[in-house]
Amino acid sequence: MQVITTCAEMSAACRATPRPIGLVPTMGALHEGHLSLTRQARADNVTMAASIFVNPTQFGANEDFSTYPRSFERDLELLAAQGADLVFAPPPSEVYPDGFDTWIEPGAVAEGMEGAARPGHFRGVATVVAKLFTITRPDRAYFGQKDGQQVAVIRKMNDDLNLGVHVVTMPTIREPDGLALSSRNAYLTPEQRAAAPVVYRALQAAESQWQAGERNASLLQAAARSILQSEPQLSAIDYVSIVDANTMAPVEAADDAQRVMLATAVRLGSVRLIDNVVLA
Ligand code: AMP
């Protein structure tokens, strides 16, 4: 496994390696959610590449960039055990050298939900993923449904800019109690951790109403919201939204032909958790 820290060396390594190349972009602090992506990338491709880069431009000024969990040596061990061929782990100055001044600005797909709660977040995500695609030129790139809006933003960018990458979406990996794995779960106090499964329980409650035939988005959202509100450890509900799973446009009354996503973001103290289910 080669660990590479410069864009030029990563480009050269990717040009020299046999195809197809599968790329798994991550911010490190790897867990089973990430490993489900690398496992699939390993199975589908001749070369498996992963990136570890805590991307400063997708964090807001008051967000957790400096405290974001980092476990580089352990991440490398995990990636080696997964059979990664190439690991790209550049410093921020390599990705954003002095004078860097060109951005990918996603459109309507990035407006609601995470885009509204975290201004500039998807501009940072789209820009870094475009750079990773350009440096690596992967045949396939793997993303988790856990970050459902992120996948939609990346798919739209990939289509609109003809980047030609096959974007693969992998299912959300959860703890046995339903909590979606996330590097940020490490921030939860024991009380918050005990309360956190309420997020998935709320989504499931709406999902079972959906399965029973309910198609009114307001009622489905209210079902999820009332379960969230019953948990005193939740300090805020940023949103509970039913959106078209491709465009992220809000849906009032879903029709059965449409793939819709029920997504939420909540806060437990200062920890912000997101989760979603696809209703289909
Ligand atoms: P991150 O390191 O948080 O940027 O995540 C890197 C990739 O792993 C993204 O495509 C995430 O959607 C994906 N991922 C994170 N958590 C999970 C999870 N619980 N299940 C599946 N994929 C995940």
Side-chain angles (χ1 to χ4, degrees), residues 101-124:
D101 201 19
T102 302
W103 300 93
I104 304 280
E105 193 69 65
V109 66
E111 265 168 25
M113 301 190 295
E114 291 305 286
R118 306 181 66 188
H121 171 66
F122 286 123
R123 177 195 207 235

Side-chain angles (χ1 to χ4, degrees), residues 3-248:
V3 181
I4 297 171
T5 57
T6 71
C7 300
E9 282 171 291
M10 186 65 182
S11 290
C14 289
R15 276 196 302 272
T17 199
R19 289 189 172 273
I21 302 175
L23 173 68
V24 181
T26 84
M27 299 205 298
L30 301 182
H31 51 62
E32 267 304 313
H34 299 110
L35 299 186
S36 71
L37 274 51
T38 55
R39 217 168 273 130
Q40 190 66 42
R42 179 66 286 166
D44 292 347
N45 301 281
V46 175
T47 295
M48 193 261 272
S51 58
I52 299 175
F53 180 61
V54 185
N55 175 34
T57 66
Q58 72 188 69
F59 288 79
N62 300 318
E63 293 182 0
D64 55 348
F65 173 68
S66 58
T67 58
Y68 192 82
R70 287 166 170 88
S71 56
F72 187 60
E73 295 305 323
R74 184 171 169 274
D75 292 348
L76 292 184
E77 282 168 24
L78 288 169
L79 290 172
Q82 291 276 310
D85 300 295
L86 302 172
V87 177
F88 183 43
S93 60
E94 181 67 22
V95 178
Y96 302 108
D98 279 349
F100 180 90
D101 201 19
T102 302
W103 300 93
I104 304 280
E105 193 69 65
V109 66
E111 265 168 25
M113 301 190 295
E114 291 305 286
R118 306 181 66 188
H121 171 66
F122 286 123
R123 177 195 207 235
V125 168
T127 301
V128 81
V129 171
K131 287 189 62 123
L132 291 171
F133 282 8
T134 309
I135 292 163
T136 314
R137 310 245 171 207
D139 296 280
R140 303 187 182 89
Y142 297 79
F143 297 90
Q145 178 60 34
K146 159 75 170 38
D147 300 281
Q149 190 175 13
Q150 171 170 281
V151 177
V153 167
I154 289 164
R155 284 186 178 280
K156 185 80 175 119
M157 170 182 78
N158 187 56
D159 290 350
D160 284 351
L161 300 183
N162 306 96
L163 300 183
V165 176
H166 181 68
V167 174
V168 180
T169 308
M170 297 296 294
T172 301
I173 304 296
R174 301 179 179 281
E175 299 281 5
D177 63 11
L179 176 63
L181 297 193
S182 163
S183 307
R184 290 190 170 97
N185 293 350
Y187 299 145
L188 296 168
T189 65
E191 295 73 26
Q192 290 166 342
R193 173 64 190 82
V198 73
V199 178
Y200 187 49
R201 275 208 312 280
L203 296 176
Q204 282 180 305
E207 188 175 28
S208 55
Q209 292 202 6
W210 169 276
Q211 281 159 358
E214 183 58 66
R215 291 293 179 271
N216 180 310
S218 303
L219 292 177
L220 292 164
Q221 286 160 191
R225 196 173 267 279
S226 76
I227 291 183
L228 293 171
Q229 281 163 343
S230 72
E231 173 49 63
Q233 290 281 336
L234 278 204
S235 38
I237 302 172
D238 280 2
Y239 59 80
V240 176
S241 301
I242 295 195
V243 296
D244 181 288
N246 298 321
T247 65
M248 301 288 118

